[in-house]
Amino acid sequence: MKNYDYIIIGSGIAGLYDALLFKDHGSVLIITKGSIDECNTKHAQGGIAAAISSIDSPELHFKDTIAAGAGLCDPEAVRILTEEAADRIADLVKLGVPFDTVNGEIALTKEAAHSVPRILHAGGDATGERIEVTLSNAARASRAITIFEYFLATEILVKNNKVYGVAALDLRSGTREEFNCRNLILATGGVGRLFKITTNPDIATGDGVALAYRTGAEIIDMEFFQFHPTALRMPGVPLFLISEAVRGEGGVLRNVRGERFMKKYSPQGELAPRDVVARGIVAEMKETGANRVFLDVTHLPARILSARFPQIYRFCLDHGLDITTSLIPVVPAAHYSMGGVKTNYWGETNVEGLFASGEVASTGVHGANRLASNSLLEVLVFGKRIVERTLRGNAHLKATPSPDVYTLKKRDTSDINDTTLNVTALQSLLWDNVGIVRSGKELEEAADTLAAWEKQLEPATDRPSYELANMVTVGRLMAEAALIREESRGAHYRSDFPNASNAWLKHIVFRKKAAKSQK
Ligand SMILES: Cc1cc2nc3c(=O)[nH]c(=O)nc-3n(C[C@H](O)[C@H](O)[C@H](O)COP(=O)(O)OP(=O)(O)OC[C@H]3O[C@@H](n4cnc5c(N)ncnc54)[C@H](O)[C@@H]3O)c2cc1C
């Protein structure tokens, strides 16, 4: 068994940024299940939020973040996020990320629910790609960082309640390997592939949440999942995100009758929070009997569109759609997980030696809904804190367990008729029953079906079977959490409980071995 000071699972911004910080303090291994750049990060378009302009301040960024989180942000985590933002942006600049500039100053754009322009971007709408390329080149160039591509992490190794390593499947040879470490950092990204319609690439199957849950880590806020309002929908064309920044720059939404409709749903119109816009679109599609709405940017200057959104402009043009003259057909799509592995302000989970960073983690900054472009920032701010924490050499690197947690209850699955389990069936179930608009009946049905599927799972042997098992576990956590929360708040909307309730100003935390059973 090989030994490392730090093992990081995942090679998106979270994994790479921490690897580059750790490399001066010990040996680092990155395990990643695809090629190094297969990740959500590469697809990020809009940018990174940070209060760096003269008309902005961490306090204003704090207020906007808290407002988007609908009562469930952890104010201290948000304070850390917004106050440490500028320093972390400076780190990225030092690492060579080429942010766009205007007259020598970093260019900033506005996105929904931000009070001022504060989104840094690179290559126009290629922010994630520029970050991924810059960081992966730096990681590859470092002799202190070993990178194993096509290695799937399958189990977190624990002894005496302390993490000592990870088991992984070498996807090329099919052999199982074990690696030892002092600190294990989960940087496995999101869970978007649980849904039929998603902006997330293939890797986003929730592996980190499932691995951590099985290890006894606490999983929090799984009912809060963000649906992005605008993904390109054209027959035969892969789903493609149309960034929020397009609406920020003046894009408007129209129904299939050509009418603008967002003011019906929010005084903020197209720049309302994502959940409001997504539900507005769903309602409008229902009312007009259409399977899409349109994003209209034809009134904006063509040269600005092609310069500011080169990826979107080019992608659409390559598929026969000139956005400067034609409407863009769009639908909402599964996008971002606010919930995940619960961490404290130092990225520590309740399991000693186990840290979580990036989309897999839930640090408390997003609450019930993420403010656009806060996720890349969260990775940097809390990723840096993980490094600082491990360097302190404290023997007890773990968060205090939550006092009040749920366990998954046993479900009677004898009545479930359709028990065909495959990825497509799971994605349809989650989209239909745990999607943008939920109800108790549909959530019960989903939870029962997922519980029946859990019983059917054969021991996993390859990447698809491991991922399927992980998706069933994560899907169940989402459905159960959404069922427990009998109210609507942020990204979680229940048609049977359409209002927010003060009684629910609290979090739902699951732990495998818990003190209290689910009601
Ligand atoms: C289309 C799109 C646009 C977005 N735009 C923005 C934006 O403008 N601004 C913003 O702030 N956020 C944006 N986001 C969200 C943001 O990109 C992600 O939250 C962020 O990149 C997550 O980074 P990460 O490193 O945590 O995860 P990822 O970048 O997804 O990396 C996860 C890594 O873990 C690996 N992995 C997973 N499971 C395993 C396993 N079992 N074994 C080994 N390796 C594993 C994957 O292969 C991958 O390398 C966007 C997301 C998408 C999908």
Side-chain angles (χ1 to χ4, degrees):
M1 196 190 284
K2 293 165 202 142
N3 287 292
Y4 296 87
D5 295 311
Y6 306 96
I7 294 181
I8 298 170
I9 309 173
S11 58
I13 182 174
L16 294 172
Y17 178 68
D18 269 5
L20 290 167
L21 297 180
F22 281 134
K23 76 175 171 40
D24 299 327
H25 308 286
S27 54
V28 183
L29 170 66
I30 296 177
I31 289 172
T32 191
K33 69 179 171 180
S35 64
I36 195 166
D37 65 346
E38 284 179 55
C39 55
N40 273 6
T41 300
K42 190 176 78 174
H43 299 269
Q45 294 178 350
I48 308 188
I52 59 165
S53 83
S54 55
I55 57 162
D56 203 358
S57 66
E59 292 76 37
L60 199 52
H61 190 184
F62 176 94
K63 273 190 199 148
D64 290 345
T65 303
I66 294 278
L72 283 186
C73 293
D74 175 338
E76 176 58 11
V78 180
R79 189 196 60 74
I80 291 168
L81 179 85
T82 51
E83 286 185 0
E84 296 182 9
D87 287 345
R88 298 294 75 79
I89 295 294
D91 291 348
L92 275 197
V93 171
K94 260 191 232 144
L95 284 166
V97 174
F99 287 113
D100 296 333
T101 54
V102 180
N103 302 327
E105 300 281 320
I106 287 185
L108 298 170
T109 195
K110 190 167 174 342
E111 286 187 333
H114 287 272
S115 345
V116 293
R118 69 161 69 96
I119 318 301
L120 296 86
H121 43 88
D125 54 2
T127 311
E129 197 239 323
R130 298 293 150 92
I131 292 174
E132 185 65 21
V133 167
T134 307
L135 300 190
S136 58
N137 285 345
R140 278 204 160 109
S142 167
R143 289 169 64 188
I145 302 175
T146 305
I147 303 168
F148 287 160
E149 292 172 288
Y150 305 102
F151 270 70
L152 177 84
T154 55
E155 190 189 345
I156 294 169
L157 304 173
V158 183
K159 204 175 189 176
N160 301 330
N161 296 321
K162 183 177 176 350
V163 170
Y164 70 92
V166 62
L169 187 66
D170 177 344
L171 296 172
R172 286 174 168 145
S173 67
T175 51
R176 182 183 187 274
E177 303 235 13
E178 290 192 0
F179 303 98
N180 255 3
C181 61
R182 283 195 292 122
N183 301 293
L184 183 66
I185 293 93
L186 280 176
T188 49
V191 312
R193 293 307 285 195
L194 266 77
F195 294 90
K196 185 169 71 180
I197 300 178
T198 180
T199 61
N200 289 197
D202 287 354
I203 54 94
T205 50
D207 298 5
V209 173
L211 289 173
Y213 174 70
R214 286 182 206 124
T215 309
E218 293 181 353
I219 310 296
I220 188 170
D221 286 352
M222 289 305 287
E223 68 277 32
F224 296 117
F225 185 85
Q226 187 173 78
F227 294 85
H228 196 289
T230 55
L232 176 74
R233 181 178 199 137
M234 279 167 66
V237 177
L239 203 83
F240 184 78
L241 183 77
I242 307 292
S243 167
E244 187 109 37
V246 174
R247 277 173 287 129
E249 297 284 343
V252 297
L253 287 164
R254 299 187 185 282
N255 64 21
V256 285
R257 297 195 284 257
E259 300 153 350
R260 271 186 83 172
F261 58 84
M262 266 316 298
K263 284 273 182 222
K264 272 200 290 190
Y265 302 101
S266 164
Q268 292 160 289
E270 280 82 0
L271 293 183
R274 284 183 178 171
D275 60 292
V276 178
V277 182
R279 280 197 302 279
I281 292 175
V282 168
E284 208 65 18
M285 293 195 308
K286 207 168 170 187
E287 197 184 309
T288 57
N291 65 357
R292 64 204 163 148
V293 297
F294 293 104
L295 184 57
D296 182 1
V297 291
T298 55
H299 54 290
L300 301 175
R303 75 189 149 68
I304 293 199
L305 288 173
S306 57
R308 178 66 187 83
F309 303 110
Q311 287 210 129
I312 295 170
Y313 174 73
R314 177 53 46 202
F315 185 90
C316 291
L317 204 58
D318 287 348
H319 292 91
L321 182 77
D322 182 350
I323 63 170
T324 65
T325 53
S326 304
L327 302 183
I328 311 168
V330 291
V331 288
H335 189 57
Y336 181 84
S337 176
M338 272 75 73
V341 183
K342 183 170 182 280
T343 68
N344 63 10
Y345 306 135
W346 299 96
E348 295 165 295
T349 72
N350 58 303
V351 178
E352 195 173 337
L354 181 66
F355 296 78
S357 179
E359 195 165 335
V360 66
S362 189
T363 61
V365 298
H366 304 305
N369 209 355
R370 173 184 69 121
L371 186 64
S373 289
N374 263 355
S375 44
L376 292 171
L377 178 64
E378 178 194 27
V379 170
L380 301 176
V381 168
F382 291 93
K384 167 87 172 175
R385 289 178 146 250
I386 291 177
V387 178
E388 286 172 1
R389 183 76 180 103
T390 60
L391 292 182
R392 278 196 221 151
N394 193 317
H396 300 288
L397 292 169
K398 69 169 184 172
T400 316
S402 304
D404 198 12
V405 295
Y406 289 87
T407 50
L408 290 177
K409 70 176 180 188
K410 282 207 173 68
R411 285 188 167 270
D412 175 9
T413 56
S414 51
D415 293 350
I416 307 291
N417 298 325
D418 181 11
T419 52
T420 320
L421 169 58
N422 55 49
V423 173
T424 311
L426 181 138
Q427 290 170 330
S428 294
L429 180 74
L430 268 283
W431 181 255
D432 293 341
N433 292 37
V434 195
I436 299 168
V437 176
R438 303 158 169 179
S439 73
K441 183 174 169 291
E442 290 165 335
L443 290 168
E444 279 287 355
E445 217 174 88
D448 281 345
T449 307
L450 287 155
W453 283 344
E454 268 169 356
K455 290 180 191 156
Q456 275 182 41
L457 285 167
E458 302 282 338
T461 52
D462 55 9
R463 177 169 163 177
S465 52
Y466 275 108
E467 287 182 340
L468 184 60
N470 292 338
M471 289 162 93
V472 170
T473 302
V474 176
R476 176 100 197 270
L477 290 166
M478 283 179 124
E480 299 283 7
L483 192 55
I484 294 170
R485 184 172 287 278
E486 294 187 332
E487 66 154 358
S488 291
R489 182 184 298 279
H492 169 71
Y493 186 83
R494 292 269 306 249
S495 55
D496 46 352
F497 295 95
N499 300 312
S501 151
N502 283 343
W504 273 109
L505 275 170
K506 57 188 177 185
H507 297 273
I508 294 169
V509 181
F510 279 103
R511 193 167 64 213
K512 209 171 158 204
K513 289 172 197 151
K516 178 178 140 188
S517 276
Q518 186 186 333
K519 288 152 242 165

